[in-house]
Amino acid sequence: MKTGRITAKLRDAVPVCLMVEGKEVKRYKNIELPDSITSIGTLAFDEDISLQTVTCGAGLETIGQNAFYGLKSLTAVSLPEGLTTIGEGAFAGCQKLASVTLPDSLTAINTDAFSMTKLNSITIPQNVSSIGAGAFSATYLNNIQVDAGNTHFQVQDKILYEKREDGTLWRALAYATLNPVSSVTLAEGTELIDAYTFFTANKITSLTLPDTLTEIGQMAFAHCYNLESLLL
């Protein structure tokens, strides 16, 4: 079975332009990837290229680590049904990317996948069972939703939690930082506030932590400039 490839021209082992099935795309602002491409590899797109929109073909299954990292002009990406994995930092630093629709086929969103983007709303599809730390950190989220059919995650008070099999909310991993509420209480049962969960949540002045909490990840409250009190 023939599969498509994304490659890069190298200069001193550093990618200088993107090649899709032998065709250079650095000069293009909008591209459509062919259905034959099943995987987009690590650092596939040079962060200096001026891509504004990317339409991924129907055969795409995996987006690799930092695949679209730092594409500062990227405003829209179309992800197909059949995609299962979004790699670590895949869209990190895409500063103009304000919205994305995740397909129902998706099962894994890895660490920092959409960090430092302009995302203002995200819906976690029903089949996602794994979300890495900081996947939505340093964004402009005002709304986080989870598909009703998803048994692994839940949103409560604008906080995205991972659930245990018994339904207990145990891991806080993302927060809608544009939520205007200044006083936030984490759910009882929470054991972990993961890395970067409340990163840049500048509207919070008071945070109440549950007795069940055992671990706070790195940078969990970094740049929360108005946070005045942590209540236990």
Side-chain angles (χ1 to χ4, degrees), residues 31-157:
I31 64 170
E32 294 185 12
L33 301 179
D35 293 347
S36 57
I37 291 178
T38 59
S39 177
I40 299 175
T42 300
L43 290 168
F45 287 78
D46 185 335
E47 65 180 294
D48 292 329
I49 66 178
S50 57
L51 280 178
Q52 295 178 359
T53 69
V54 175
T55 300
C56 298
L60 186 64
E61 298 173 359
T62 303
I63 297 175
Q65 181 178 351
N66 296 329
F68 295 90
Y69 180 86
L71 295 185
K72 296 178 176 62
S73 298
L74 187 68
T75 60
V77 59
S78 175
L79 304 176
E81 283 297 333
L83 178 68
T84 61
T85 304
I86 297 177
E88 180 178 343
F91 295 95
C94 295
Q95 299 172 359
K96 293 185 178 180
L97 185 62
S99 66
V100 63
T101 299
L102 303 177
D104 288 338
S105 56
L106 192 66
T107 60
I109 304 169
N110 284 297
T111 302
D112 296 330
F114 292 97
S115 66
M116 299 179 291
T117 64
K118 207 173 181 179
L119 285 185
N120 53 49
S121 179
I122 195 71
T123 298
I124 307 302
Q126 62 181 353
N127 292 311
V128 171
S129 60
S130 174
I131 300 178
F136 304 106
S137 64
T139 60
Y140 293 78
L141 283 177
N142 186 51
N143 188 39
I144 306 175
Q145 294 182 313
V146 175
D147 186 277
N150 189 300
T151 61
H152 300 280
F153 298 96
Q154 181 177 321
V155 174
Q156 181 172 302
D157 297 329

